[in-house]
Amino acid sequence: WMVYNGEIYNHDEIRRDLEAEGEVFYGRSDTEVVLRAFRRWRQSCVERFNGMFAFVIWDDMEKSIFCARDRIGIKPFYYAFLDDNFIFASDIQTLLSSGLIEPQADVESLFYGLSFGVAPRPNTCFKGIRALEQAHWMIISSGGRVHKHRYWAIPIGNQDTAMTEAEAIATLEELLLAAVKKRLVADVSVGTFMSGGIDSTTVSAMAAKSHPGIKAFTLAFKSDRELNELEQAQATAKLYPMEHVIEDVDDESIVGHIEQMVFCYEEPFYDISPNYVVSKLVARHGIKVVLNGLGGDELFGGYPYFSWRYRWLALKRMRLILSIARRIPVVSHLADRLHRIAATESADRFAVAVRTFLTDLEKRQLFACDDVDDLDTVEAIHRLYVGDDVEFSSFIEAVSYIDLVNYIGNHHVYRVDKFTMNFSIEARLPFLDHELVEAAYRIPDHFKIRGATRKYLLRRVAEKYIHRSCLESRKKGFDLPTDRWMRGWLSGFVRQHLERLAQRDEFDATTIFEIYRQWRIRARSFRSIWELVSLEMWYEQFIDKGRSGWCMAATHLD
């Protein structure tokens, strides 16, 4: 018996292999393929799957439960052990609605999570609730014995230095085209997200060549040139037989939805996500499957800090100056961040430090307890995902690895899945096809970043498919004008929630309002403030309700 969430893109190929071994099928679904593959090959079956999946199989012969999650962690899997009970679900809300769990904050996980917008998996911000790690399976015997195994790892240290540029271009193009085509196969309507940036626009262009007439969805920010990529998206759309659907984002797109967004996040987060807005737009047009360009930046050096190796080394020579600057209020936040980056001892630790927007020093001041005094976010991530035995072949490889396991695997794929599924849409991510990921780590660094050009190789492939303006435009990212809104129509909302948070015994009011003051004078990013706003909303929506509140909510849903 199986409970299954996801999609196996190579299920026809696996079906043929199983039939050759004597299996008989009664339908055409990938669900039956997964179940029979487990029966035939046991836990090694997951190594044959190309796709996104989270599933649980009850083995009546062995009286055991087999749980598995895909290599990148695209499909979520949460669970808890309670006395003699094992409960699991695709989201935390469902576990709480069982009425078996008292929702409580896990202070250590919350401490780490406030630096990234999500607790590093397998931890969650909820005490007793865990996430099955990406690329893992787990067997639970009827007697309660648990065995967990990692069946796949990102293949570091395998750069093919003999690879030519032409070979690299051909490899990436072939695998990306194949990944897009696999994800276009569906018995429901398929569309694409197309921001106007290189990644999603390339995916949309490739999809349109294989699937003429496909709907491509773009969010426009006509009142905010810093975020607007509409012109670039329109220029590419005109090159293909696609139906281009555009929606202008304004205050009205967000008003009334913020609480639902936080509820979807399930943990405190540092921004208001455009994924909610575009997913709502896609659902309105009746699309059930949508392709997304997530992963291009992380695999091919798209972020500025991929080129910061020499800046990092320069910062190390400035540690004394930065240590002194941390005591100067107007620059304390920036100096503290730079000091923590400078103090890192390896490239993977650098990649963690550069991503944290609330530093450990600030978080220790924020939490009104001693439990966090010895916690170290950078070292915690290193222990979880790297360890002392792993050796990266380069700075870029280390940064890419941390981005994939921590930023993509913990946060980004879940946010995309959560918001799309909120509107009954399945998101598919061609760049995160594991065969493409493996190839990306074989490609030498100098094809990813060349001089001042980031994503050099991906640009060489993309130039065959998208309008030149997309390649020439400055990177803007898929974001909302959250900072401007927080200083405008959301200012009262922000202040109100910070005041509520300051009244909680768990947090220090002085620190909260000092962080707020620094943001007001533009001495720090809005993300620190929104993280605190969503922290208060998270407490209200999840922790304050208690077990009885969640039981009532579940009864209401029934």
Side-chain angles (χ1 to χ4, degrees):
W1 296 89
M2 179 168 69
V3 179
Y4 168 54
N5 176 24
E7 199 76 32
I8 305 299
Y9 302 117
N10 63 334
H11 69 92
D12 280 339
E13 174 188 331
I14 296 172
R15 180 192 305 271
R16 288 193 291 270
D17 292 341
L18 287 165
E19 287 174 334
E21 294 193 25
E23 290 287 340
V24 177
F25 287 84
Y26 297 95
R28 298 299 305 173
S29 75
D30 62 340
T31 307
E32 188 180 4
V33 170
V34 172
L35 194 57
R36 293 182 180 279
F38 175 75
R39 188 172 73 170
R40 177 66 58 171
W41 299 315
R42 313 304 295 172
Q43 55 263 31
S44 67
C45 66
V46 295
E47 299 169 22
R48 300 175 183 245
F49 297 158
N50 181 311
M52 53 182 186
F53 53 84
F55 62 82
V56 175
I57 294 176
W58 165 250
D59 186 338
D60 198 44
M61 299 291 289
E62 299 290 336
K63 305 300 181 187
S64 64
I65 292 173
F66 178 74
C67 314
R69 193 171 178 212
D70 66 70
R71 293 169 178 82
I72 308 299
I74 297 170
K75 283 300 178 182
F77 191 121
Y78 295 99
Y79 66 91
F81 289 103
L82 301 166
D83 298 323
D84 293 331
N85 296 308
F86 170 66
I87 61 174
F88 59 92
S90 292
D91 56 24
I92 293 170
Q93 302 161 32
T94 303
L95 294 182
L96 296 176
S97 295
S98 71
L100 298 172
I101 300 176
E102 180 71 35
Q104 299 179 59
D106 184 301
V107 174
E108 182 175 339
S109 299
L110 193 59
F111 179 89
Y112 296 139
L114 289 179
S115 284
F116 307 112
V118 64
R121 305 309 189 217
N123 308 307
T124 77
C125 290
F126 295 86
K127 189 175 292 185
I129 296 179
R130 307 276 284 177
L132 181 60
E133 299 94 321
Q134 53 187 245
H136 277 68
W137 54 253
M138 179 170 66
I139 295 176
I140 307 163
S141 71
S142 58
R145 191 175 69 87
V146 178
H147 175 60
K148 191 185 292 184
H149 174 73
R150 181 176 182 173
Y151 65 86
W152 181 84
I154 296 169
I156 62 171
N158 289 317
Q159 291 190 38
D160 182 358
T161 55
M163 184 180 292
T164 67
E165 182 173 322
E167 289 171 338
I169 292 172
T171 296
L172 175 55
E173 184 176 16
E174 178 185 351
L175 287 173
L176 185 55
L177 276 170
V180 169
K181 288 179 180 178
K182 289 176 197 169
R183 286 155 181 80
L184 288 171
V185 178
D187 53 7
V188 293
S189 52
V190 182
T192 71
F193 289 162
M194 186 168 76
S195 67
I198 294 173
D199 307 343
S200 65
T201 308
T202 301
V203 167
S204 297
M206 288 180 168
K209 290 192 75 170
S210 299
H211 201 311
I214 195 170
K215 287 184 177 179
F217 297 87
T218 301
L219 296 184
F221 300 90
K222 295 176 182 176
S223 59
D224 198 311
R225 292 188 60 82
E226 286 295 308
L227 296 172
N228 197 37
E229 295 180 303
L230 177 60
E231 291 182 9
Q232 293 89 335
Q234 286 178 314
T236 295
K238 291 176 182 177
L239 301 176
Y240 293 95
M242 66 171 66
E243 183 180 342
H244 195 196
V245 181
I246 302 165
E247 174 131 321
D248 189 35
V249 178
D250 54 22
D251 301 357
E252 296 301 318
S253 306
I254 302 299
V255 171
H257 299 296
I258 291 178
E259 289 193 359
Q260 180 62 22
M261 290 181 186
V262 173
F263 191 66
C264 278
Y265 279 132
E266 297 190 325
E267 295 185 43
F269 190 59
Y270 54 71
D271 205 350
I272 304 173
S273 175
N275 284 310
Y276 182 94
V277 182
V278 73
S279 297
K280 185 179 180 182
L281 170 64
V282 169
R284 205 164 65 231
H285 284 261
I287 299 295
K288 294 298 182 183
V289 172
V290 64
L291 274 57
N292 181 300
L294 182 64
D297 287 314
E298 292 75 12
L299 290 173
F300 297 101
Y303 297 118
Y305 51 79
F306 274 82
S307 304
W308 285 1
R309 181 172 180 269
Y310 293 108
R311 293 189 188 186
W312 174 43
L313 297 177
L315 281 175
K316 286 181 171 295
R317 296 191 290 270
M318 299 171 58
R319 286 180 64 179
L320 179 59
I321 296 173
L322 291 171
S323 181
I324 296 170
R326 294 161 80 189
R327 303 187 183 100
I328 304 172
V330 72
V331 296
S332 61
H333 170 65
L334 177 60
D336 188 33
R337 282 198 68 198
L338 293 177
H339 183 270
R340 188 65 188 98
I341 293 169
T344 55
E345 300 174 354
S346 60
D348 69 276
R349 291 177 173 93
F350 162 86
V352 175
V354 81
R355 272 278 185 192
T356 60
F357 49 87
L358 276 173
T359 66
D360 283 356
L361 176 62
E362 292 170 331
K363 289 183 293 182
R364 291 189 191 107
Q365 294 168 344
L366 174 65
F367 282 83
C369 67
D370 299 331
D371 297 346
V372 301
D373 289 351
D374 297 326
L375 299 182
D376 186 320
T377 301
V378 171
E379 288 305 314
I381 298 299
H382 178 81
R383 287 193 302 271
L384 269 175
Y385 304 128
V386 183
D388 296 328
D389 298 330
V390 174
E391 291 187 16
F392 295 100
S393 61
S394 69
F395 176 86
I396 290 174
E397 183 178 79
V399 174
S400 174
Y401 177 91
I402 290 297
D403 261 6
L404 203 62
V405 296
N406 190 38
Y407 180 59
I408 287 284
N410 286 339
H411 142 65
H412 226 320
V413 290
Y414 178 62
R415 306 308 175 194
V416 170
D417 183 81
K418 189 62 179 166
F419 284 119
T420 50
M421 293 302 290
N422 184 67
F423 292 98
S424 300
I425 300 165
E426 181 178 276
R428 298 181 180 178
L429 313 172
F431 277 107
L432 297 182
D433 185 293
H434 80 270
E435 294 176 359
L436 193 153
V437 171
E438 290 169 349
Y441 281 85
R442 290 197 303 271
I443 294 171
D445 291 343
H446 56 266
F447 293 139
K448 297 174 183 178
I449 298 177
R450 176 162 294 184
T453 303
R454 298 192 300 273
K455 288 200 294 194
Y456 171 79
L457 182 66
L458 184 51
R459 288 172 179 272
R460 290 299 313 274
V461 172
E463 66 187 10
K464 302 180 182 182
Y465 294 90
I466 64 179
H467 194 270
R468 186 173 180 176
S469 62
C470 299
L471 299 164
E472 296 173 346
S473 177
R474 180 179 63 84
K475 182 176 176 59
K476 297 179 180 180
F478 187 48
D479 216 337
L480 295 173
T482 309
D483 186 74
R484 178 167 61 82
W485 287 347
M486 288 170 61
R487 297 178 188 276
W489 64 276
L490 273 175
S491 59
F493 182 91
V494 169
R495 181 77 191 192
Q496 180 186 55
H497 283 80
L498 292 181
E499 288 173 351
R500 290 182 193 167
L501 185 66
Q503 293 173 9
R504 294 185 182 274
D505 294 337
E506 296 94 330
F507 304 103
D508 180 74
T510 302
T511 303
I512 291 170
F513 290 114
E514 174 58 21
I515 294 174
Y516 178 67
R517 185 192 68 80
Q518 291 177 3
W519 168 70
R520 291 285 297 171
I521 64 172
R522 301 183 188 278
R524 68 161 60 234
S525 165
F526 74 91
R527 298 186 189 280
S528 302
I529 297 300
W530 193 259
E531 181 77 31
L532 297 181
V533 170
S534 66
L535 175 60
E536 169 58 25
M537 296 178 73
W538 177 75
Y539 263 89
E540 292 173 3
Q541 292 187 0
F542 289 93
I543 306 302
D544 294 349
K545 285 171 67 174
R547 183 182 301 180
S548 60
W550 281 99
C551 286
M552 289 177 63
T555 302
H556 176 70
L557 288 174
D558 288 342

